[in-house]
Amino acid sequence: MPQNEYIERWTKQHGKRLDADERKRKREAREGHKASQNAQNFRGLRAKLYQEKRRKEKIQMKQKIRAHEQKNVKSSEAVDDKGEALPQYLLDRSNQKDAKALSSAIKQKRNEKAARFSVPIPKVKGVSEEEMFKVINTGKKTHKKSWKRMITKPTFVGPNFTRRPVKFERFIRPMGLRYKKANVTHPELNVTVQLPIISVKKNPNNPMYTQLGVLTKGTIIEVNVSELGLVTAGGKVVWGRFAQVTNNPENDGCLNAVLLV
């Protein structure tokens, strides 16, 4: 059992209180007052994030109510009377529109799925290996065959990274080009915050660049958003979120990214 499900484990072992259901009902009844109190007392970025969350919840609620209202409505199209006699099996038939709510729900799910995978920079200019790697031919072991390479672009290596022995190191990632933090912009709130990088998820240029942690324009990275206080629909704090790099870090000296929401 996961570590955070200790309450469920206790309930399975020892059962519930006798007034557990009543306490739960009262707690749910107080949620409206708690939400109102938070909306009045939050300030700054926390207030913006909370209002954005409440706005999305209200939109979802209105869409559900509208879908339920449309689901049970049966409307029939007007029959075009062209003076032709209809056969008996067509007299009681009317073209009902019961599938309107269902089709709108399917379209909404498709749009959400498409938006989830849409990125601010869909097309990225490719980076060749000649531009990415610089040949190192110094030293006795690499002088003749020149198998060692130095990465000329910014990289992310992680906090627990240790270099291999120099004799066996294939790729050199310079210390001056390693990044630990990124300036991440929230597209809906128009707020920019400096957040630590967790990992490099995908570099669209080459899978090898992803493995090496190379940061180029269009790279998808995972950042730690725990400082923003984002919360899921279930009430859990969001820890990691994806973001896309929007600038050329080797030219600007900093890493700018847009959060994928």
Side-chain angles (χ1 to χ4, degrees):
M1 183 176 287
Q3 187 179 0
N4 60 349
E5 294 182 1
Y6 55 90
I7 297 177
E8 288 82 353
R9 183 168 174 268
W10 171 268
T11 306
K12 287 179 181 177
Q13 287 179 340
H14 306 285
K16 294 182 180 180
R17 290 171 53 124
L18 295 176
D19 59 343
D21 295 330
E22 182 66 15
R23 284 162 61 91
K24 184 180 178 183
R25 183 190 66 78
K26 288 183 178 179
R27 194 183 306 117
E28 290 175 354
R30 287 195 299 267
E31 282 180 359
H33 301 282
K34 181 69 175 173
S36 175
Q37 185 181 358
N38 289 341
Q40 292 176 35
N41 294 331
F42 281 167
R43 296 290 183 270
L45 179 62
R46 201 173 183 187
K48 289 183 180 178
L49 293 170
Y50 185 77
Q51 294 299 338
E52 183 67 19
K53 175 171 154 288
R54 286 289 298 149
R55 188 179 72 86
K56 289 180 180 178
E57 288 176 359
K58 288 177 182 177
I59 290 172
Q60 292 289 335
M61 197 185 304
K62 287 179 182 178
Q63 287 176 348
K64 282 185 181 178
I65 292 171
R66 200 178 300 120
H68 279 294
E69 288 175 352
Q70 291 177 354
K71 187 172 65 174
N72 299 322
V73 174
K74 294 183 179 180
S75 62
S76 57
E77 294 179 353
V79 180
D80 295 334
D81 190 10
K82 298 180 181 178
E84 299 177 359
L86 289 173
Q88 187 177 3
Y89 59 86
L90 287 179
L91 288 175
D92 296 331
R93 182 177 296 181
S94 60
N95 299 323
Q96 295 177 350
K97 297 178 181 177
D98 290 338
K100 187 176 180 183
L102 185 63
S103 64
S104 62
I106 292 171
K107 286 177 184 176
Q108 183 184 346
K109 282 186 179 178
R110 284 178 184 167
N111 292 335
E112 288 176 359
K113 191 174 181 182
R116 193 183 303 164
F117 297 105
S118 63
V119 289
I121 304 175
K123 294 183 180 180
V124 181
K125 183 182 177 183
V127 181
S128 63
E129 291 193 5
E130 289 78 10
E131 185 184 352
M132 179 68 67
F133 302 119
K134 177 186 174 184
V135 179
I136 302 294
N137 53 13
T138 58
K140 186 178 178 182
K141 196 172 177 68
T142 58
H143 181 65
K144 292 181 180 179
K145 295 186 179 178
S146 301
W147 51 268
K148 190 174 284 193
R149 299 288 183 271
M150 179 184 286
I151 300 174
T152 60
K153 304 288 181 183
T155 55
F156 172 77
V157 295
N160 300 323
F161 171 75
T162 53
R163 288 179 63 179
R164 298 186 67 185
V166 178
K167 287 185 178 180
F168 308 112
E169 192 175 29
R170 176 79 169 84
F171 297 100
I172 300 171
R173 285 169 274 197
M175 288 284 292
L177 289 175
R178 294 183 192 173
Y179 282 81
K180 294 182 180 179
K181 292 191 175 183
N183 302 321
V184 182
T185 303
H186 198 295
E188 295 175 355
L189 301 179
N190 295 326
V191 175
T192 302
V193 189
Q194 194 175 52
L195 301 175
I197 304 171
I198 299 173
S199 63
V200 176
K201 279 296 167 189
K202 185 173 178 62
N203 191 316
N205 292 303
N206 198 326
M208 185 172 67
Y209 298 168
T210 306
Q211 189 178 1
L212 292 170
V214 179
L215 299 168
T216 56
K217 189 173 183 178
T219 304
I220 305 296
I221 59 175
E222 189 176 9
V223 292
N224 188 350
V225 295
S226 57
E227 298 176 10
L228 296 178
L230 300 177
V231 182
T232 61
K236 294 184 179 180
V237 177
V238 179
W239 183 62
R241 272 284 180 89
F242 292 155
Q244 188 179 33
V245 179
T246 56
N247 70 326
N248 294 312
E250 66 274 11
N251 297 339
D252 300 339
C254 64
L255 194 66
N256 298 335
V258 174
L259 203 67
L260 304 181
V261 293

